[in-house]
Amino acid sequence: MPNSSSLNEFLLLPFADTRELQLLHFSLFLGIYLAALLGNGLIITAIACNHHLHTPMYFFLLNLSLLDLGSISTTAPKSMANSLWNTRVISYLGCAAQVFLVVFFLGGEYSLLTVMAYDRYNAICRPLHYGTLMDSRACVKIAAAAWASGFLNALLHTGNTFSIPLCQGNVVDQFFCEIPQILKLSCSDSCLREVGLIVVSLCLFFGCFVFIVLSYVQIFTAVLRIPSEQGRHKAFSMCLPHLAVVSLFVSTAFFAYLKPPSLSSPALDLVVAVLYSMVPPTVNPLIYSMRNKELKDALRKVISWTFFSSGNIAIALHN
């Protein structure tokens, strides 16, 4: 069996063996990827170009869309290329980069979702102090801390994972390089450090989860005390999209990494990985824009401006 010092490539899990199914997989992933690019790209453009949306909530949403774009761009293109070219190979450095970026973007996103819960808590439970607590400088620092936590987490996990001797071959049972699947290739007595680091990360994960839950308990308690129905509706409209995104992220990640070993199988692991790595980045823009009138109006302006500009260019070229 090769060890990690002699490995120069890994073999990823293929979605299908026949050419027709490989092309179907490529087409489905391409559709999902383009939808994620379009949705998150529109959100970023609408927030960046509309001064009415230069508030803490939309600033954090812009950061969330950037993280979603990075997350899906780390896994989907390589998988599509492998299906298109009928190969399974990913280089050792490519695999390490994929592990780093997946942990970086997903860790950063979870930190940012925790920050967004804090923002909603301040907006609803401490409205008189909101302007002071969440001014532009504070928002930039908080967002930078969320990105930095993802970066540090990714650096620790990637360095630790790839410093472990791998003596069980080079076949990764997943469509991208995922830490649990790489650990299966390690020598049985050499992955205790990474297991310890995963336990620490899980403790932080549950700590953030408890913070989010407690924040929303206080938020909903405050909302139910609002005397006017219109005020309650506005407060719920601000919070429910974020709560839906958190629920989607946590439920898919929870099932992916904490399901009982008895439920584990290559097919199920593959489906769950698709759910947590590709569905949230694609669905999040839809969740946030569905009941948000300000964001929908800004998106309409971006879309109409795009078509208007392209129409003018076409007329100019024709003339």
Side-chain angles (χ1 to χ4, degrees), residues 5-288:
S5 61
S6 63
L7 276 177
N8 56 18
E9 65 182 29
F10 291 92
L11 298 178
L12 298 175
L13 186 68
F15 269 82
D17 296 327
T18 64
R19 191 63 188 147
E20 292 78 8
L21 289 176
Q22 286 173 346
L23 292 176
L24 177 62
H25 158 241
F26 170 80
S27 303
L28 287 173
F29 266 41
L30 180 62
I32 294 171
Y33 184 54
L34 290 177
L37 289 182
L38 178 64
N40 287 291
L42 284 172
I43 293 279
I44 292 166
T45 307
I47 294 172
C49 296
N50 194 316
H51 291 289
H52 295 295
L53 300 184
H54 290 180
T55 64
M57 182 175 78
Y58 293 110
F59 171 72
F60 293 133
L61 180 56
L62 183 147
N63 278 268
L64 183 69
S65 290
L66 288 172
L67 287 165
D68 278 337
L69 279 180
S71 173
I72 197 167
S73 296
T74 301
T75 57
K78 178 60 179 174
S79 182
M80 288 189 293
N82 280 1
S83 281
L84 192 62
W85 304 115
N86 191 24
T87 182
R88 300 172 56 189
V89 174
I90 184 170
S91 68
Y92 186 90
L93 286 177
C95 188
Q98 210 172 50
V99 166
F100 176 84
L101 291 172
V102 166
V103 177
F104 170 50
F105 288 121
L106 291 181
E109 181 165 342
Y110 189 56
S111 297
L112 193 68
L113 289 173
T114 307
V115 165
M116 291 170 83
Y118 174 70
D119 172 63
R120 295 300 83 210
Y121 165 77
N122 284 326
I124 293 170
C125 299
R126 308 177 72 183
L128 298 178
H129 302 283
Y130 183 71
T132 306
L133 291 169
M134 304 301 292
D135 62 8
S136 57
R137 184 176 296 179
C139 288
V140 170
K141 287 181 179 178
I142 293 169
W147 285 81
S149 68
F151 179 83
L152 182 61
N153 196 31
L155 201 63
L156 288 171
H157 278 291
T158 307
N160 218 18
T161 300
F162 286 92
S163 67
I164 294 169
L166 305 177
C167 53
Q168 304 292 328
N170 67 337
V171 179
V172 179
D173 287 333
Q174 192 52 270
F175 74 95
F176 63 94
C177 285
E178 188 183 44
I179 289 176
Q181 302 300 332
I182 294 172
L183 289 181
K184 290 180 181 179
L185 306 178
S186 66
C187 305
S188 58
D189 58 347
S190 61
C191 62
L192 290 177
R193 284 177 305 162
E194 179 59 21
V195 171
L197 195 55
I198 288 172
V199 170
V200 172
S201 297
L202 285 175
C203 291
L204 293 173
F205 176 89
F206 281 111
C208 290
F209 180 73
V210 170
F211 178 85
I212 293 170
V213 170
L214 291 177
S215 297
Y216 270 101
V217 168
Q218 296 185 68
I219 286 169
F220 287 134
T221 302
V223 169
L224 293 174
R225 289 177 185 158
I226 297 174
S228 70
E229 187 178 341
Q230 186 178 0
R232 288 195 299 271
H233 182 267
K234 184 178 179 182
F236 278 126
S237 296
M238 289 168 63
C239 295
L240 289 179
H242 175 256
L243 197 57
V245 168
V246 169
S247 300
L248 180 65
F249 184 90
V250 170
S251 60
T252 52
F254 184 88
F255 191 73
Y257 290 103
L258 297 177
K259 65 181 183 298
S262 58
L263 290 178
S264 186
S265 70
L268 182 61
D269 290 346
L270 193 63
V271 170
V272 170
V274 171
L275 285 177
Y276 85 78
S277 66
M278 298 194 68
V279 172
T282 309
V283 174
N284 286 352
L286 186 62
I287 292 173
Y288 268 103

